Amino acid sequence: MRAERAVLGALLLPALLLACQRAEPVQSGAGAVPVARGDGKTLRIFMWSDYIDPQVVKDFEKARGVRVVIDTFESNEAMLAKLQGGGTAYDLATPSNYFIQTMVRAGQLQKMNVQTLKNFHNVAPGFQNPGYDPHNTYTVPYQYAATGLAYNAARYTPPRESWDLIFGTSDTVKFVLLDDPREVIGAALKYLGFSVNSTRVPELRAARNLLRTVVAKRGFLGFDGGPGTRNRLLAGDIDLGQIYVGDLLQGAAENASLKVFLPREGTTISTDNLVLLQGAPNPALARDFIDTVLTPRVSAAISNYTYYGNPNAAARPFLDPLLRDNKAFNPSQADLKSGRVEFIEELPPGRPPRLFDRIWSELKSR
Amino acid sequence: MRRVHPLLAGYAWLVYAFMYLPILVLVLFSFNASKFGATWSGFTTHWYAVLFGRSDVREAVTNTLLVAVSSTALSVVLGTLLGLGLWRYTFRGRTALTFLLVTPIVIPDVVMGVSLLMFYALVRHVLPFQGGLFTVLLAHVTFQVSYVGLVVRSRLAGYGPELEEAARDLGASGLRAFLHVTLPLALPGVLSGALLAFTLSLDDFVVTYFTSGSGFHTLPVLVYTSVKRGVTPDINALSTLLIAFTVLLIVVANAVGRRGGAREG
């Protein structure tokens, strides 16, 4: 009989555990890390990985006597899916500019009222009131990524700073393109003299025809992400690679022969933004954090760590010279104004985005 | 002993090389001074120091093991009962139940993750809870039960109910028959089901990502979300430690198995 009781106990124990576990989340939040809703002591940020200097976080925690929890995502879409599912308690997130309106429509963002932020005036004019959020209602620019062409000067020196090197007729250069439809099709559009956000069918057709010939080249070695391209340049597998400038500069800090330029026909740029999420448990703390990030030294420290673009004009003197003096890292205000360096924007729903998708699947399945 | 044809042996070595060389490279590069994997720039143990200094990694390892161990314990009990039930009884809806058992195994992870996310969102209307250990645990058990149930059932498939009946004839109570006859028969299935469940939980990214709420991340989530911005070498160091741990586990298991086998023989 004792054995019987033991087995019964063994069967009931998990059920009991389950019952206890269940009571807890209702009262205090997540299982392992209790969410103290609105206690002003925990700030939760949902961002790209390795995208903030850990020291900045530590300093903020110490100065305010709070805890900062950072979770990471690997695509805007996955982030939104998780937020929409509920059960999360994030205060801040860092979506890309072309995802802002999607998030607004999904009701995920709170108005920011940037005028009440002490340090918002530090943001460079070119990054204030952007097209994706005309009055900075919802966003504060965090870091940006221009897209350039990278090479390893120890192995190959491009004769000119142009998309022509890979989109032109030459067949000898070995290159890779970014594994991202908006970047690849955007570059082709730019090379042809159109906007990266073009939704005109003839222009998109022209881009498709161009890209068909590009991916058919002997030198085309596939699509890759930034880190992969950087490593292939270091290894000498490729001569040129389309890359986010930040990803390349990370490598340049270690190997000075890695170089990058923004092609003269123009290129794409996108910003990641600090946004205050709907239902943020600690909005006051979140705003305090944003204000801290906007202070020149902190902002520079973040860029010096991530090697990504810094939209903070006042932070410039504190930037690592490797970044400060790099033309590809600092597209000029004139380039931004003239649209040579053009923001990737969200496409309106309907036929053109489907055309983007079709072109992309065709290229990938070549 | 039969000799293996040299061609076959060569082929086998090739296959092994293909499987293990990448792991070897990873181990090697965890000692690489360069932050980027492509070039060798000197030996260092720096990344291990970095790794041990990262509180998010420590937290992720703890969470991963916590989820893996507890979800395995739960799913082994539930899955074994399920397997036994399907094996021993015939009842209305058994085919349907078997079908449902296979579903979590064949549907893509994304579908499972998103559907769980939606399910939790629905429940939240009645019961406002946060995502975290509990929601991840439940999600893992959901797919683990299927694996355990299937393995246990197929382990028992060769036996009829007569063994248990014989035990009952000899005067054993239902429970005693279960403990001394059925369970020992099922045990290899239960153990391999448990191992399978444990590994699946340890590996799972998609379902965990969608069900974990905020502030609760596991190792696979940590690693996968870093891919976009480049995996740092401290993650290589971490993988190396995990591999070392697994190898150790296998060696120990083998040693124990051999001792057990010797005793029996």
PDB file of all heavy atoms in Angstrom, chain A residues 44-53 57 68-75 79 90 92-95 142-143 273-274 289 302 306, chain B residues 209 225:
ATOM      1  N   ARG A  44      11.953  47.805 -18.682  1.00  0.00           N
ATOM      2  CA  ARG A  44      12.087  46.680 -19.599  1.00  0.00           C
ATOM      3  C   ARG A  44      12.188  47.166 -21.036  1.00  0.00           C
ATOM      4  O   ARG A  44      11.306  47.851 -21.525  1.00  0.00           O
ATOM      5  CB  ARG A  44      10.890  45.737 -19.461  1.00  0.00           C
ATOM      6  CG  ARG A  44      10.957  44.963 -18.181  1.00  0.00           C
ATOM      7  CD  ARG A  44       9.637  44.333 -17.842  1.00  0.00           C
ATOM      8  NE  ARG A  44       9.748  43.782 -16.510  1.00  0.00           N
ATOM      9  CZ  ARG A  44      10.275  42.585 -16.261  1.00  0.00           C
ATOM     10  NH1 ARG A  44      10.658  41.812 -17.233  1.00  0.00           N
ATOM     11  NH2 ARG A  44      10.384  42.166 -15.019  1.00  0.00           N
ATOM     12  N   ILE A  45      13.268  46.769 -21.686  1.00  0.00           N
ATOM     13  CA  ILE A  45      13.523  47.229 -23.052  1.00  0.00           C
ATOM     14  C   ILE A  45      13.584  46.026 -23.987  1.00  0.00           C
ATOM     15  O   ILE A  45      14.196  45.012 -23.669  1.00  0.00           O
ATOM     16  CB  ILE A  45      14.860  47.995 -23.124  1.00  0.00           C
ATOM     17  CG1 ILE A  45      14.904  49.082 -22.042  1.00  0.00           C
ATOM     18  CG2 ILE A  45      15.043  48.622 -24.490  1.00  0.00           C
ATOM     19  CD1 ILE A  45      16.232  49.807 -21.970  1.00  0.00           C
ATOM     20  N   PHE A  46      12.940  46.184 -25.144  1.00  0.00           N
ATOM     21  CA  PHE A  46      12.930  45.129 -26.158  1.00  0.00           C
ATOM     22  C   PHE A  46      13.701  45.682 -27.355  1.00  0.00           C
ATOM     23  O   PHE A  46      13.267  46.657 -27.971  1.00  0.00           O
ATOM     24  CB  PHE A  46      11.470  44.850 -26.537  1.00  0.00           C
ATOM     25  CG  PHE A  46      11.221  43.487 -27.122  1.00  0.00           C
ATOM     26  CD1 PHE A  46      12.122  42.443 -26.955  1.00  0.00           C
ATOM     27  CD2 PHE A  46      10.044  43.233 -27.821  1.00  0.00           C
ATOM     28  CE1 PHE A  46      11.867  41.189 -27.472  1.00  0.00           C
ATOM     29  CE2 PHE A  46       9.776  41.978 -28.344  1.00  0.00           C
ATOM     30  CZ  PHE A  46      10.694  40.965 -28.168  1.00  0.00           C
ATOM     31  N   MET A  47      14.886  45.144 -27.637  1.00  0.00           N
ATOM     32  CA  MET A  47      15.713  45.747 -28.684  1.00  0.00           C
ATOM     33  C   MET A  47      16.529  44.716 -29.468  1.00  0.00           C
ATOM     34  O   MET A  47      16.500  43.537 -29.171  1.00  0.00           O
ATOM     35  CB  MET A  47      16.628  46.825 -28.083  1.00  0.00           C
ATOM     36  CG  MET A  47      17.742  46.271 -27.228  1.00  0.00           C
ATOM     37  SD  MET A  47      18.720  47.505 -26.298  1.00  0.00           S
ATOM     38  CE  MET A  47      18.667  48.946 -27.310  1.00  0.00           C
ATOM     39  N   TRP A  48      17.256  45.216 -30.499  1.00  0.00           N
ATOM     40  CA  TRP A  48      18.158  44.351 -31.247  1.00  0.00           C
ATOM     41  C   TRP A  48      19.284  43.897 -30.323  1.00  0.00           C
ATOM     42  O   TRP A  48      19.619  44.591 -29.362  1.00  0.00           O
ATOM     43  CB  TRP A  48      18.753  45.106 -32.432  1.00  0.00           C
ATOM     44  CG  TRP A  48      17.735  45.686 -33.357  1.00  0.00           C
ATOM     45  CD1 TRP A  48      17.273  46.975 -33.334  1.00  0.00           C
ATOM     46  CD2 TRP A  48      17.038  45.044 -34.421  1.00  0.00           C
ATOM     47  NE1 TRP A  48      16.342  47.150 -34.325  1.00  0.00           N
ATOM     48  CE2 TRP A  48      16.183  45.985 -35.010  1.00  0.00           C
ATOM     49  CE3 TRP A  48      17.061  43.748 -34.939  1.00  0.00           C
ATOM     50  CZ2 TRP A  48      15.348  45.682 -36.079  1.00  0.00           C
ATOM     51  CZ3 TRP A  48      16.236  43.442 -36.005  1.00  0.00           C
ATOM     52  CH2 TRP A  48      15.397  44.392 -36.559  1.00  0.00           C
ATOM     53  N   SER A  49      19.881  42.768 -30.626  1.00  0.00           N
ATOM     54  CA  SER A  49      20.924  42.255 -29.744  1.00  0.00           C
ATOM     55  C   SER A  49      22.177  43.110 -29.837  1.00  0.00           C
ATOM     56  O   SER A  49      22.450  43.715 -30.878  1.00  0.00           O
ATOM     57  CB  SER A  49      21.260  40.818 -30.125  1.00  0.00           C
ATOM     58  OG  SER A  49      22.062  40.816 -31.282  1.00  0.00           O
ATOM     59  N   ASP A  50      22.927  43.170 -28.724  1.00  0.00           N
ATOM     60  CA  ASP A  50      24.235  43.816 -28.736  1.00  0.00           C
ATOM     61  C   ASP A  50      24.119  45.258 -29.239  1.00  0.00           C
ATOM     62  O   ASP A  50      24.972  45.727 -29.967  1.00  0.00           O
ATOM     63  CB  ASP A  50      25.166  43.009 -29.679  1.00  0.00           C
ATOM     64  CG  ASP A  50      26.612  43.074 -29.217  1.00  0.00           C
ATOM     65  OD1 ASP A  50      26.836  43.372 -28.045  1.00  0.00           O
ATOM     66  OD2 ASP A  50      27.507  42.833 -30.048  1.00  0.00           O
ATOM     67  N   TYR A  51      23.076  45.961 -28.841  1.00  0.00           N
ATOM     68  CA  TYR A  51      22.766  47.243 -29.449  1.00  0.00           C
ATOM     69  C   TYR A  51      22.866  48.386 -28.448  1.00  0.00           C
ATOM     70  O   TYR A  51      22.440  49.496 -28.730  1.00  0.00           O
ATOM     71  CB  TYR A  51      21.354  47.190 -30.048  1.00  0.00           C
ATOM     72  CG  TYR A  51      21.127  48.092 -31.234  1.00  0.00           C
ATOM     73  CD1 TYR A  51      22.126  48.317 -32.166  1.00  0.00           C
ATOM     74  CD2 TYR A  51      19.903  48.703 -31.443  1.00  0.00           C
ATOM     75  CE1 TYR A  51      21.913  49.131 -33.260  1.00  0.00           C
ATOM     76  CE2 TYR A  51      19.671  49.514 -32.529  1.00  0.00           C
ATOM     77  CZ  TYR A  51      20.685  49.728 -33.438  1.00  0.00           C
ATOM     78  OH  TYR A  51      20.464  50.534 -34.522  1.00  0.00           O
ATOM     79  N   ILE A  52      23.415  48.110 -27.288  1.00  0.00           N
ATOM     80  CA  ILE A  52      23.632  49.182 -26.316  1.00  0.00           C
ATOM     81  C   ILE A  52      24.870  48.833 -25.493  1.00  0.00           C
ATOM     82  O   ILE A  52      25.135  47.654 -25.241  1.00  0.00           O
ATOM     83  CB  ILE A  52      22.391  49.372 -25.417  1.00  0.00           C
ATOM     84  CG1 ILE A  52      22.534  50.657 -24.587  1.00  0.00           C
ATOM     85  CG2 ILE A  52      22.142  48.168 -24.512  1.00  0.00           C
ATOM     86  CD1 ILE A  52      21.236  51.136 -23.970  1.00  0.00           C
ATOM     87  N   ASP A  53      25.620  49.859 -25.138  1.00  0.00           N
ATOM     88  CA  ASP A  53      26.805  49.650 -24.327  1.00  0.00           C
ATOM     89  C   ASP A  53      26.378  49.190 -22.923  1.00  0.00           C
ATOM     90  O   ASP A  53      25.655  49.905 -22.238  1.00  0.00           O
ATOM     91  CB  ASP A  53      27.579  50.975 -24.245  1.00  0.00           C
ATOM     92  CG  ASP A  53      28.859  50.836 -23.448  1.00  0.00           C
ATOM     93  OD1 ASP A  53      29.117  49.743 -22.909  1.00  0.00           O
ATOM     94  OD2 ASP A  53      29.604  51.826 -23.366  1.00  0.00           O
ATOM     95  N   VAL A  57      24.014  50.937 -19.451  1.00  0.00           N
ATOM     96  CA  VAL A  57      22.916  50.340 -18.691  1.00  0.00           C
ATOM     97  C   VAL A  57      23.276  50.286 -17.208  1.00  0.00           C
ATOM     98  O   VAL A  57      22.485  50.672 -16.338  1.00  0.00           O
ATOM     99  CB  VAL A  57      22.603  48.930 -19.227  1.00  0.00           C
ATOM    100  CG1 VAL A  57      21.541  48.256 -18.382  1.00  0.00           C
ATOM    101  CG2 VAL A  57      22.157  49.005 -20.677  1.00  0.00           C
ATOM    102  N   VAL A  68      17.384  47.320 -15.063  1.00  0.00           N
ATOM    103  CA  VAL A  68      17.024  47.382 -16.477  1.00  0.00           C
ATOM    104  C   VAL A  68      17.084  45.968 -17.049  1.00  0.00           C
ATOM    105  O   VAL A  68      18.109  45.300 -16.949  1.00  0.00           O
ATOM    106  CB  VAL A  68      17.981  48.300 -17.265  1.00  0.00           C
ATOM    107  CG1 VAL A  68      17.622  48.311 -18.738  1.00  0.00           C
ATOM    108  CG2 VAL A  68      17.936  49.711 -16.710  1.00  0.00           C
ATOM    109  N   VAL A  69      15.965  45.526 -17.592  1.00  0.00           N
ATOM    110  CA  VAL A  69      15.914  44.203 -18.212  1.00  0.00           C
ATOM    111  C   VAL A  69      15.880  44.394 -19.723  1.00  0.00           C
ATOM    112  O   VAL A  69      15.043  45.141 -20.226  1.00  0.00           O
ATOM    113  CB  VAL A  69      14.660  43.425 -17.766  1.00  0.00           C
ATOM    114  CG1 VAL A  69      14.565  42.101 -18.491  1.00  0.00           C
ATOM    115  CG2 VAL A  69      14.693  43.224 -16.261  1.00  0.00           C
ATOM    116  N   ILE A  70      16.807  43.755 -20.429  1.00  0.00           N
ATOM    117  CA  ILE A  70      16.822  43.885 -21.884  1.00  0.00           C
ATOM    118  C   ILE A  70      16.569  42.529 -22.531  1.00  0.00           C
ATOM    119  O   ILE A  70      17.277  41.572 -22.265  1.00  0.00           O
ATOM    120  CB  ILE A  70      18.164  44.463 -22.364  1.00  0.00           C
ATOM    121  CG1 ILE A  70      18.328  45.889 -21.826  1.00  0.00           C
ATOM    122  CG2 ILE A  70      18.235  44.459 -23.889  1.00  0.00           C
ATOM    123  CD1 ILE A  70      19.589  46.574 -22.254  1.00  0.00           C
ATOM    124  N   ASP A  71      15.527  42.468 -23.337  1.00  0.00           N
ATOM    125  CA  ASP A  71      15.270  41.280 -24.148  1.00  0.00           C
ATOM    126  C   ASP A  71      15.550  41.638 -25.596  1.00  0.00           C
ATOM    127  O   ASP A  71      15.442  42.802 -25.983  1.00  0.00           O
ATOM    128  CB  ASP A  71      13.809  40.827 -24.012  1.00  0.00           C
ATOM    129  CG  ASP A  71      13.596  40.056 -22.719  1.00  0.00           C
ATOM    130  OD1 ASP A  71      14.589  39.810 -22.011  1.00  0.00           O
ATOM    131  OD2 ASP A  71      12.439  39.723 -22.423  1.00  0.00           O
ATOM    132  N   THR A  72      15.890  40.633 -26.404  1.00  0.00           N
ATOM    133  CA  THR A  72      16.270  40.936 -27.780  1.00  0.00           C
ATOM    134  C   THR A  72      15.349  40.247 -28.779  1.00  0.00           C
ATOM    135  O   THR A  72      14.742  39.226 -28.484  1.00  0.00           O
ATOM    136  CB  THR A  72      17.713  40.481 -28.043  1.00  0.00           C
ATOM    137  OG1 THR A  72      17.871  39.142 -27.581  1.00  0.00           O
ATOM    138  CG2 THR A  72      18.689  41.364 -27.307  1.00  0.00           C
ATOM    139  N   PHE A  73      15.260  40.844 -29.972  1.00  0.00           N
ATOM    140  CA  PHE A  73      14.499  40.238 -31.072  1.00  0.00           C
ATOM    141  C   PHE A  73      15.375  40.277 -32.308  1.00  0.00           C
ATOM    142  O   PHE A  73      16.400  40.980 -32.325  1.00  0.00           O
ATOM    143  CB  PHE A  73      13.170  40.973 -31.304  1.00  0.00           C
ATOM    144  CG  PHE A  73      13.300  42.456 -31.537  1.00  0.00           C
ATOM    145  CD1 PHE A  73      13.618  42.945 -32.795  1.00  0.00           C
ATOM    146  CD2 PHE A  73      13.102  43.364 -30.509  1.00  0.00           C
ATOM    147  CE1 PHE A  73      13.725  44.307 -33.026  1.00  0.00           C
ATOM    148  CE2 PHE A  73      13.207  44.731 -30.736  1.00  0.00           C
ATOM    149  CZ  PHE A  73      13.525  45.205 -31.994  1.00  0.00           C
ATOM    150  N   GLU A  74      14.996  39.522 -33.336  1.00  0.00           N
ATOM    151  CA  GLU A  74      15.833  39.503 -34.517  1.00  0.00           C
ATOM    152  C   GLU A  74      15.137  40.011 -35.765  1.00  0.00           C
ATOM    153  O   GLU A  74      15.737  40.081 -36.821  1.00  0.00           O
ATOM    154  CB  GLU A  74      16.459  38.125 -34.755  1.00  0.00           C
ATOM    155  CG  GLU A  74      15.509  36.958 -34.881  1.00  0.00           C
ATOM    156  CD  GLU A  74      14.853  36.886 -36.229  1.00  0.00           C
ATOM    157  OE1 GLU A  74      15.563  36.944 -37.245  1.00  0.00           O
ATOM    158  OE2 GLU A  74      13.612  36.791 -36.264  1.00  0.00           O
ATOM    159  N   SER A  75      13.864  40.386 -35.653  1.00  0.00           N
ATOM    160  CA  SER A  75      13.230  41.072 -36.777  1.00  0.00           C
ATOM    161  C   SER A  75      12.080  41.912 -36.245  1.00  0.00           C
ATOM    162  O   SER A  75      11.497  41.594 -35.205  1.00  0.00           O
ATOM    163  CB  SER A  75      12.714  40.073 -37.821  1.00  0.00           C
ATOM    164  OG  SER A  75      11.548  39.438 -37.353  1.00  0.00           O
ATOM    165  N   MET A  79       9.107  40.932 -33.360  1.00  0.00           N
ATOM    166  CA  MET A  79       8.881  41.790 -32.202  1.00  0.00           C
ATOM    167  C   MET A  79       7.402  42.147 -32.077  1.00  0.00           C
ATOM    168  O   MET A  79       6.794  41.992 -31.017  1.00  0.00           O
ATOM    169  CB  MET A  79       9.699  43.074 -32.336  1.00  0.00           C
ATOM    170  CG  MET A  79       9.319  44.118 -31.314  1.00  0.00           C
ATOM    171  SD  MET A  79       9.825  45.772 -31.776  1.00  0.00           S
ATOM    172  CE  MET A  79       8.996  46.010 -33.312  1.00  0.00           C
ATOM    173  N   TYR A  90       6.829  45.374 -21.608  1.00  0.00           N
ATOM    174  CA  TYR A  90       7.948  46.214 -22.012  1.00  0.00           C
ATOM    175  C   TYR A  90       7.573  47.688 -21.962  1.00  0.00           C
ATOM    176  O   TYR A  90       6.427  48.058 -22.220  1.00  0.00           O
ATOM    177  CB  TYR A  90       8.391  45.851 -23.434  1.00  0.00           C
ATOM    178  CG  TYR A  90       8.968  44.472 -23.551  1.00  0.00           C
ATOM    179  CD1 TYR A  90       8.313  43.478 -24.255  1.00  0.00           C
ATOM    180  CD2 TYR A  90      10.182  44.164 -22.929  1.00  0.00           C
ATOM    181  CE1 TYR A  90       8.836  42.213 -24.345  1.00  0.00           C
ATOM    182  CE2 TYR A  90      10.715  42.902 -23.018  1.00  0.00           C
ATOM    183  CZ  TYR A  90      10.041  41.916 -23.730  1.00  0.00           C
ATOM    184  OH  TYR A  90      10.563  40.664 -23.815  1.00  0.00           O
ATOM    185  N   LEU A  92       9.982  50.061 -23.444  1.00  0.00           N
ATOM    186  CA  LEU A  92      10.568  50.636 -24.648  1.00  0.00           C
ATOM    187  C   LEU A  92      10.886  49.548 -25.664  1.00  0.00           C
ATOM    188  O   LEU A  92      11.166  48.408 -25.304  1.00  0.00           O
ATOM    189  CB  LEU A  92      11.884  51.348 -24.297  1.00  0.00           C
ATOM    190  CG  LEU A  92      11.821  52.580 -23.392  1.00  0.00           C
ATOM    191  CD1 LEU A  92      13.221  53.034 -23.031  1.00  0.00           C
ATOM    192  CD2 LEU A  92      11.064  53.697 -24.093  1.00  0.00           C
ATOM    193  N   ALA A  93      10.876  49.958 -26.956  1.00  0.00           N
ATOM    194  CA  ALA A  93      11.344  49.061 -28.001  1.00  0.00           C
ATOM    195  C   ALA A  93      12.101  49.895 -29.029  1.00  0.00           C
ATOM    196  O   ALA A  93      12.069  51.133 -28.974  1.00  0.00           O
ATOM    197  CB  ALA A  93      10.177  48.330 -28.654  1.00  0.00           C
ATOM    198  N   THR A  94      12.790  49.225 -29.954  1.00  0.00           N
ATOM    199  CA  THR A  94      13.574  49.947 -30.958  1.00  0.00           C
ATOM    200  C   THR A  94      13.240  49.503 -32.383  1.00  0.00           C
ATOM    201  O   THR A  94      14.065  48.916 -33.070  1.00  0.00           O
ATOM    202  CB  THR A  94      15.088  49.718 -30.751  1.00  0.00           C
ATOM    203  OG1 THR A  94      15.347  48.310 -30.818  1.00  0.00           O
ATOM    204  CG2 THR A  94      15.558  50.248 -29.429  1.00  0.00           C
ATOM    205  N   PRO A  95      12.009  49.764 -32.847  1.00  0.00           N
ATOM    206  CA  PRO A  95      11.652  49.374 -34.213  1.00  0.00           C
ATOM    207  C   PRO A  95      12.350  50.255 -35.257  1.00  0.00           C
ATOM    208  O   PRO A  95      12.753  51.377 -34.951  1.00  0.00           O
ATOM    209  CB  PRO A  95      10.141  49.597 -34.254  1.00  0.00           C
ATOM    210  CG  PRO A  95       9.883  50.624 -33.210  1.00  0.00           C
ATOM    211  CD  PRO A  95      10.906  50.420 -32.146  1.00  0.00           C
ATOM    212  N   TYR A 142      17.291  56.595 -32.449  1.00  0.00           N
ATOM    213  CA  TYR A 142      18.267  55.980 -31.547  1.00  0.00           C
ATOM    214  C   TYR A 142      19.614  55.801 -32.246  1.00  0.00           C
ATOM    215  O   TYR A 142      20.614  56.390 -31.860  1.00  0.00           O
ATOM    216  CB  TYR A 142      17.713  54.643 -31.052  1.00  0.00           C
ATOM    217  CG  TYR A 142      18.640  53.862 -30.155  1.00  0.00           C
ATOM    218  CD1 TYR A 142      19.024  54.359 -28.919  1.00  0.00           C
ATOM    219  CD2 TYR A 142      19.120  52.616 -30.554  1.00  0.00           C
ATOM    220  CE1 TYR A 142      19.877  53.638 -28.096  1.00  0.00           C
ATOM    221  CE2 TYR A 142      19.964  51.888 -29.732  1.00  0.00           C
ATOM    222  CZ  TYR A 142      20.343  52.402 -28.501  1.00  0.00           C
ATOM    223  OH  TYR A 142      21.183  51.680 -27.701  1.00  0.00           O
ATOM    224  N   GLN A 143      19.616  54.975 -33.287  1.00  0.00           N
ATOM    225  CA  GLN A 143      20.829  54.766 -34.072  1.00  0.00           C
ATOM    226  C   GLN A 143      20.379  54.581 -35.507  1.00  0.00           C
ATOM    227  O   GLN A 143      19.235  54.250 -35.751  1.00  0.00           O
ATOM    228  CB  GLN A 143      21.540  53.474 -33.626  1.00  0.00           C
ATOM    229  CG  GLN A 143      21.889  53.449 -32.169  1.00  0.00           C
ATOM    230  CD  GLN A 143      23.332  53.813 -31.927  1.00  0.00           C
ATOM    231  OE1 GLN A 143      24.242  53.062 -32.169  1.00  0.00           O
ATOM    232  NE2 GLN A 143      23.532  55.022 -31.431  1.00  0.00           N
ATOM    233  N   ASN A 273      14.404  53.403 -33.728  1.00  0.00           N
ATOM    234  CA  ASN A 273      13.844  54.456 -32.892  1.00  0.00           C
ATOM    235  C   ASN A 273      13.474  53.967 -31.513  1.00  0.00           C
ATOM    236  O   ASN A 273      13.023  52.830 -31.347  1.00  0.00           O
ATOM    237  CB  ASN A 273      12.570  54.999 -33.548  1.00  0.00           C
ATOM    238  CG  ASN A 273      12.871  55.597 -34.894  1.00  0.00           C
ATOM    239  OD1 ASN A 273      13.152  56.769 -35.008  1.00  0.00           O
ATOM    240  ND2 ASN A 273      12.842  54.771 -35.937  1.00  0.00           N
ATOM    241  N   LEU A 274      13.644  54.822 -30.531  1.00  0.00           N
ATOM    242  CA  LEU A 274      13.118  54.527 -29.207  1.00  0.00           C
ATOM    243  C   LEU A 274      11.642  54.884 -29.214  1.00  0.00           C
ATOM    244  O   LEU A 274      11.280  56.011 -29.554  1.00  0.00           O
ATOM    245  CB  LEU A 274      13.859  55.339 -28.148  1.00  0.00           C
ATOM    246  CG  LEU A 274      15.295  54.886 -27.863  1.00  0.00           C
ATOM    247  CD1 LEU A 274      16.041  55.942 -27.080  1.00  0.00           C
ATOM    248  CD2 LEU A 274      15.304  53.555 -27.135  1.00  0.00           C
ATOM    249  N   PHE A 289      14.956  57.380 -19.154  1.00  0.00           N
ATOM    250  CA  PHE A 289      15.999  56.627 -19.864  1.00  0.00           C
ATOM    251  C   PHE A 289      16.267  57.243 -21.236  1.00  0.00           C
ATOM    252  O   PHE A 289      17.417  57.419 -21.643  1.00  0.00           O
ATOM    253  CB  PHE A 289      15.573  55.166 -20.008  1.00  0.00           C
ATOM    254  CG  PHE A 289      16.614  54.304 -20.656  1.00  0.00           C
ATOM    255  CD1 PHE A 289      17.695  53.819 -19.931  1.00  0.00           C
ATOM    256  CD2 PHE A 289      16.531  53.976 -22.011  1.00  0.00           C
ATOM    257  CE1 PHE A 289      18.665  53.032 -20.522  1.00  0.00           C
ATOM    258  CE2 PHE A 289      17.508  53.187 -22.614  1.00  0.00           C
ATOM    259  CZ  PHE A 289      18.569  52.719 -21.865  1.00  0.00           C
ATOM    260  N   ILE A 302      27.196  54.862 -26.723  1.00  0.00           N
ATOM    261  CA  ILE A 302      26.431  53.790 -27.370  1.00  0.00           C
ATOM    262  C   ILE A 302      26.959  53.545 -28.790  1.00  0.00           C
ATOM    263  O   ILE A 302      27.205  52.411 -29.187  1.00  0.00           O
ATOM    264  CB  ILE A 302      24.928  54.129 -27.387  1.00  0.00           C
ATOM    265  CG1 ILE A 302      24.384  54.107 -25.953  1.00  0.00           C
ATOM    266  CG2 ILE A 302      24.156  53.139 -28.251  1.00  0.00           C
ATOM    267  CD1 ILE A 302      22.984  54.634 -25.807  1.00  0.00           C
ATOM    268  N   THR A 306      28.416  50.228 -30.484  1.00  0.00           N
ATOM    269  CA  THR A 306      27.726  49.478 -31.547  1.00  0.00           C
ATOM    270  C   THR A 306      28.317  49.741 -32.928  1.00  0.00           C
ATOM    271  O   THR A 306      28.108  48.969 -33.840  1.00  0.00           O
ATOM    272  CB  THR A 306      26.235  49.869 -31.633  1.00  0.00           C
ATOM    273  OG1 THR A 306      26.156  51.251 -31.985  1.00  0.00           O
ATOM    274  CG2 THR A 306      25.530  49.653 -30.308  1.00  0.00           C
TER     275      THR A 306
ATOM    276  N   TYR B 209      10.227  31.644 -27.751  1.00  0.00           N
ATOM    277  CA  TYR B 209      10.230  33.075 -28.053  1.00  0.00           C
ATOM    278  C   TYR B 209       8.829  33.669 -27.941  1.00  0.00           C
ATOM    279  O   TYR B 209       8.621  34.703 -27.336  1.00  0.00           O
ATOM    280  CB  TYR B 209      10.799  33.313 -29.456  1.00  0.00           C
ATOM    281  CG  TYR B 209      10.765  34.772 -29.857  1.00  0.00           C
ATOM    282  CD1 TYR B 209      11.774  35.639 -29.447  1.00  0.00           C
ATOM    283  CD2 TYR B 209       9.729  35.280 -30.616  1.00  0.00           C
ATOM    284  CE1 TYR B 209      11.741  36.978 -29.778  1.00  0.00           C
ATOM    285  CE2 TYR B 209       9.691  36.615 -30.959  1.00  0.00           C
ATOM    286  CZ  TYR B 209      10.699  37.461 -30.549  1.00  0.00           C
ATOM    287  OH  TYR B 209      10.651  38.783 -30.881  1.00  0.00           O
ATOM    288  N   THR B 225      18.590  35.431 -31.362  1.00  0.00           N
ATOM    289  CA  THR B 225      18.334  36.849 -31.599  1.00  0.00           C
ATOM    290  C   THR B 225      19.632  37.628 -31.806  1.00  0.00           C
ATOM    291  O   THR B 225      19.611  38.772 -32.224  1.00  0.00           O
ATOM    292  CB  THR B 225      17.538  37.488 -30.449  1.00  0.00           C
ATOM    293  OG1 THR B 225      18.185  37.175 -29.220  1.00  0.00           O
ATOM    294  CG2 THR B 225      16.117  37.008 -30.433  1.00  0.00           C
TER     295      THR B 225
END
